[in-house]
Amino acid sequence: MTGGAGYIGSHTAIELLAAGHDVVVLDNLSNGTRAAVEAIGRVANRDVPVVEGDIRDPVCLDRAFAEHRFDAVLHFAALKAVGESVAKPLRYYQNNVAGTVCLVERMAAHGVKTLVFSSSAAVYGDPGTMPINEDSPPDPTSPYARTKLIVEGLLHDTHAADPGWRISILRYFNAVGAHPSGEIGEDPAGVPMNLLPSVAQVAVGRRELLNVFGNDYPTPDGTGVRDYLHVVDLARGHVNALDYLATGTGVAVHNLGTGRGHTVFEVVRAFEAASGRQIPYRIAPRRPGDVVVSCADPGKAGDELGWTAQYDLRRMCEDLWRWQTTHPHGFRGGKA
């Protein structure tokens, strides 16, 4: 799995191992850490091989394919901060698009044609109707989202040229929370770009206050609405997708979300309840690329993958707080 030392990749590795799969992690450690892979091993009670390298490096990929026997690739390695993508679009196209081209080329060269791709609900942009189903027309509003949609297109084209490919495109909504063991969680480098890691760092004392980007949206309390999904639920969706691909060839697209949206202030109140801490905040200007509401229709994943989200916002906050209190400075700072 590419990006397996990162947040979603590490949680997915645990669920794959629990389901009886063997896992090899390939990561350039720009956002992931070796400590995360070590934590995977502790939770799963299994050693997990690591290849340190970049998906844009064909020599590294060839070496990985030569040293290990793969039946499938799960592709998580991507840059994902919307605001940064607006400021540095070429970095995102180089990593997310060119990197995937290199990966798919090397997969084909080594006869590995089963791929689960980490896409994003950001490809939908800001549609006029909710919830969003897989037939909603894409309308990405940021370079990050456009890179995801471009990769989806190249995967469809890859299958059209070679129908032997089996490809699952999973459009994630907002992954949050942490493994219930407290051993693995999100460990963003630098200032967090997403809401709940920011809230958790304020609660644990790493940051003074939370920036709320806009309070004048046409929503119940003026803040943006997102469909928050427990990362363990999301990870299990990948196991289901891999099982689904075993039934035949083709390209499948599925939303992974809960079907329920929460405003920023609803999330803040839920985290205050889980942590027993008050979250001070200030209102900041809207960020470029942000949409008003994003909420999934996950029915297709239920029907075809046999997957539904199990955990609610309360559980997401509780598990995240457990991780944050045991690792107040993330993996890099060690356990408290």
Side-chain angles (χ1 to χ4, degrees):
M1 59 197 315
T2 72
Y7 175 46
I8 298 171
S10 61
H11 286 82
T12 302
I14 290 174
E15 299 304 320
L16 287 167
L17 290 165
H21 297 281
D22 294 322
V23 172
V24 176
V25 166
L26 185 144
D27 203 299
N28 66 6
L29 304 182
S30 60
N31 287 316
T33 65
R34 283 192 173 269
V37 182
E38 293 167 2
I40 295 168
R42 288 195 300 273
V43 173
N45 197 27
R46 293 270 302 276
D47 289 332
V48 179
V50 181
V51 177
E52 186 172 345
D54 197 291
I55 57 171
R56 294 167 292 181
D57 180 356
V59 175
C60 171
L61 295 177
D62 284 340
R63 184 174 68 251
F65 281 107
E67 292 177 354
H68 303 276
R69 179 182 177 275
F70 297 115
D71 298 310
V73 172
L74 287 84
H75 179 27
F76 299 94
L79 300 172
K80 63 176 186 175
V82 170
E84 183 187 50
S85 78
V86 174
K88 302 177 180 179
L90 295 182
R91 182 170 184 244
Y92 276 66
Y93 283 97
Q94 177 62 237
N95 187 89
N96 296 2
V97 178
T100 303
V101 170
C102 184
L103 174 66
V104 171
E105 285 178 341
R106 302 329 301 157
M107 287 178 64
H110 291 272
V112 180
K113 297 183 180 180
T114 300
L115 174 67
V116 179
F117 172 60
S118 167
S119 190
S120 170
V123 301
Y124 295 115
D126 198 359
T129 58
M130 290 289 152
I132 303 167
N133 63 38
E134 291 82 357
D135 294 326
S136 299
D139 185 22
T141 61
S142 68
Y144 160 71
R146 280 188 281 276
T147 66
K148 290 295 187 179
L149 189 60
I150 289 169
V151 170
E152 288 192 14
L154 75 85
L155 294 178
H156 281 282
D157 290 341
T158 297
H159 175 262
D162 180 355
W165 279 85
R166 307 166 186 253
I167 299 171
S168 168
I169 294 170
L170 298 178
R171 291 174 174 170
Y172 306 168
F173 283 69
N174 292 64
V176 298
H179 194 269
S181 67
E183 291 287 338
I184 297 179
E186 189 166 9
D187 185 17
V191 178
M193 298 292 181
N194 298 319
L195 174 60
L196 266 160
S198 300
V199 171
Q201 289 192 8
V202 172
V204 84
R206 282 181 64 179
R207 305 200 179 276
E208 182 180 355
L209 50 77
L210 173 71
N211 285 311
V212 176
F213 296 103
N215 67 341
D216 57 351
Y217 287 106
T219 63
D221 61 22
T223 63
V225 173
R226 297 292 182 271
D227 186 335
Y228 295 97
L229 172 66
H230 198 297
V231 66
V232 172
D233 279 329
L234 176 57
R236 291 170 180 166
H238 292 75
V239 180
N240 289 47
L242 202 56
D243 291 342
Y244 179 80
L245 291 181
T247 65
T249 58
V251 181
V253 180
H254 294 95
N255 287 340
L256 296 184
T258 67
R260 181 181 178 187
H262 295 280
T263 69
V264 172
F265 288 142
E266 286 175 338
V267 171
V268 168
R269 288 194 295 270
F271 201 86
E272 287 177 335
S275 65
R277 305 283 181 88
Q278 186 175 4
I279 309 297
Y281 66 86
R282 67 182 173 197
I283 304 301
R286 295 186 185 189
R287 295 180 298 188
D290 278 349
V291 300
V292 179
V293 179
S294 179
C295 188
D297 175 353
K300 185 180 177 187
D303 293 340
E304 296 184 354
L305 303 184
W307 175 91
T308 55
Q310 302 298 310
Y311 298 134
D312 60 10
L313 181 62
R314 177 189 61 82
R315 177 64 183 270
M316 299 174 208
C317 293
E318 290 174 350
D319 287 343
L320 174 55
W321 183 234
R322 185 179 302 108
W323 152 257
Q324 193 69 76
T325 52
T326 55
H327 297 77
H329 295 281
F331 285 118
R332 296 164 181 84
K335 294 185 73 171

